[in-house]
Amino acid sequence: MRTIKTRHFTGTTDNTVTKRELDNRKVVRRAAAEGMVLLKNEGQLLPLKEGTKVALYGVGASRTIKGGTGSGDVNERETVSIYQGMKNAGFEITTEDWIKAYDEQYQAARYAWRDEIEEKASRLEDQVSGFFNVYSTTPFRMPAGAPVTQTDAEIAIYILSRVAGEGADRFDAEGDYYLTKEEKQQLSDIGSMYKHVIVAVNTGGLADLSFMDEYSNIEALLQIVQPGMEAGNAFADIISGRVTPSGKMTDSWAFKYEDYPNSKTFSHNNGNVDKEYYTEGLYVGYRYFDSFDVPVRYGFGYGLSYTTFEAKVLSTVLKDNKIVVETETINTGDTYSGKEVVQLYATCPAGKLEKEYRRLVAFDKTGLLAPGQSEKMTLEIALDKLTSYSEAEAAWVLEKGSYVIWTGNSLESSTPCAVLALDADVVLTKTQNICPLKEELEEMKQSSEKMTQKLAALLKFTEEKALPVMELKAADVETRVVEYHSNAECVPAEAREFVDTLSTEKLVALASGDPGKGQGSNLGSAGISVPGSAGETNDCALEDGIPGIVLSDGPAGLRLMKHYNVYEGKIVNKPFKFSLEGGLFCEGEPADPGETRYQYCTAIPVGTLLAQTWDTALIEEIGEMIGGEMEEFSTTLWLAPGMNIHRNPLCGRNFEYYSEDPLVAGKIAAAMTNGVQKVPGCGTTIKHFACNNQEDNRMGSDSIVSERTLREIYLKGFEIAITESQPMSIMTSYNLINGVHAANNEDTCTKAARCEWGFQGMIMTDWTTTEQGEDCTASGCMRAGNDLVMPGAFSDRDNLNQELADGTLSMDDLKACISRLVNIVWQSNQFENAVPYKKVK
């Protein structure tokens, strides 16, 4: 018996800080500190003693950026700036006058920026989507602040900050990737006035660090990304030594932007935002730098600590066709407790398929180890982590030869520890080809002679060191042959029986969301019953026992309105603009009538910083915390985690995503999902599926990519997240993949996600995907196995009805999609006695 819950107005009428807020802030403070990466610490300048005099400069000192703009924003109660956090920790800030003057300059610049956007938008016919487009393509440039003046401190900290967000990519220009002239002058002056200088990088994506070579007394460098609402307190925890840094880079930081293999052609750089040619192929991030021997400033997996560790491999064995590596990590320091990350990489043998030199295949993080304390960990490498995709065979294959396993606490520090010897080629998984290229694509290739020399030298090293060799017989490896089904065949039986009782009118209505009535917008704020939520599914079948479920944006926490009013028993609708920038665009407007209700959500660190923790247990804790807020605010699906690959540092939305590496992205997303879905009836929506690696022209850009690259780099993280956590839902991306819109792509939605990976949940579009032209339609979504069109528009219903009448959309395809929607709604927190979402066994 399924009993629908009675809905109540969300939030509280009391504006007092709640216990939930306080408890959650403690969790995100720990996460923020654990994800900050210490990149440089000459002379052990850090940590600083409590009470140290510090000259604090930079635009992020008092205006620390907690996260990105757009749908990834969160309307929290407050954000603790670095200035406030350091004062809270007992440091003496000697530049309070500079900071006060900066705050005044900042406020003036913010209002001028707001007025510029309002003026541009006022000239547009569409005051909703037009406003959002102006907002997203007119990024706020933070003023540099006054010239630096000397104080009586010996230590200066400079906070380099940048704003980035949804809808636009960054530029390799001053004020974005590069320092402005004013910032360079400030750093130069700070270097001449202060004995010791510390720089913290508070940006959503990587920025140019060439200034590190110009100013010799920058003795410490921290990558703090965008740390959420507890930014300042977490920063002070690291600076003071209350927390020992344990974060590691999840990206490669090149010496210069031009070193990235797609730097010349990415997004707007070549003047073509319509087609994005993935000519670098597999060579994304460290796979490129490591394979082509291009030096980097800070490598993948790198990060310093206040203590030292020794990690030993105790044994490496092959068990049940898995490589099992037992390690022991010892804190060899004498002062600080700390955590360490053990990383395993693999070099695969040369064969028919060209391969990167090394790839990450497993990782784990210790608990907090006191000086002298040790911890043993067992890491497993399944054979699928060693496979490559053969387009010719339409299969995941293991090629004959020696697979060298490396261990270390970064890619650069890793050393070979064992070898897996395979006696013949193996097809591990037989698939069908997907997403064929429709035009020629010439991918980057290595020099075969150079790679042969590198592999030969490596194998010679393993023989000289007499590393253990594990023998794997091809005959002992079973081939899995994927059984493919059509969209109409991938149906939960009970839900399909129910759907057969619904009228065509209700089926069509359920296929798209229910945009907010009277809100004047459907751009990320189309919720009806929970103000500020992203949207709701249609409740047209409520009398049949199918309530609408609420979807809330992410991935840095729930994005709801901070407050709203209830008047005469109804929610007072607020304009879309109120959900942006903490209500900046609605300041000064008359107060709404009625009772005010407050919905303060927790702004967690952005995705990149969370991934930099390399701590899946901590991420799962964050997820469970988010699930608790979802339950409190009657949200069923969180539109997160975002897990696209950091293909290029200038992607405007990199802050939402985890890494340049698909294993990191997949493992962190799986941990987040497992945490959220511990809470009964709550689920995640992994996104954006797939190849959403560019924001400029994101609704029309065509990602032209080989099938092998697509599978090994851009789909692999999604595969890992699905097989390890079974999220409730997936969100398709705006872009095309080899000429087919992701939302209308049967190859990815049905063949890959459902048939190959066993996905059992619901797939939805991103907002307004089907409202951009006739080449991406609601009916196309249903045929592909994309179950729900969001946020919903009458044009979607018209299209569905027309194609049903024409016979170009089958009733079986439509009913399959609605059956999967119903199955998710049935398991949602909109019912009494909900239980955690069921995973695949």
Side-chain angles (χ1 to χ4, degrees), residues 235-294:
F235 180 80
D237 289 341
I238 292 291
I239 291 292
S240 66
R242 181 178 178 271
V243 173
T244 297
S246 64
K248 305 283 184 180
M249 290 296 298
T250 59
D251 293 305
S252 304
W253 212 320
F255 275 100
K256 56 184 185 296
Y257 176 68
E258 292 76 18
D259 287 342
Y260 292 99
N262 50 34
S263 59
K264 291 181 180 179
T265 58
F266 176 73
S267 186
H268 48 246
N269 286 351
N270 64 350
N272 178 8
V273 295
D274 296 321
K275 291 189 175 184
E276 187 71 8
Y277 294 91
Y278 286 52
T279 54
E280 72 279 7
L282 300 175
Y283 299 113
V284 177
Y286 71 86
R287 284 169 165 79
Y288 167 72
F289 296 109
D290 190 42
S291 300
F292 286 81
D293 297 318
V294 178

Side-chain angles (χ1 to χ4, degrees), residues 132-167:
F132 185 79
N133 289 335
V134 171
Y135 164 74
S136 61
T137 57
T138 311
F140 176 59
R141 299 290 190 209
M142 301 173 80
V148 170
T149 56
Q150 190 162 7
T151 66
D152 61 347
E154 289 192 339
I155 295 172
I157 299 178
Y158 188 81
I159 313 299
L160 172 64
S161 297
R162 291 289 186 269
V163 176
E166 180 179 10

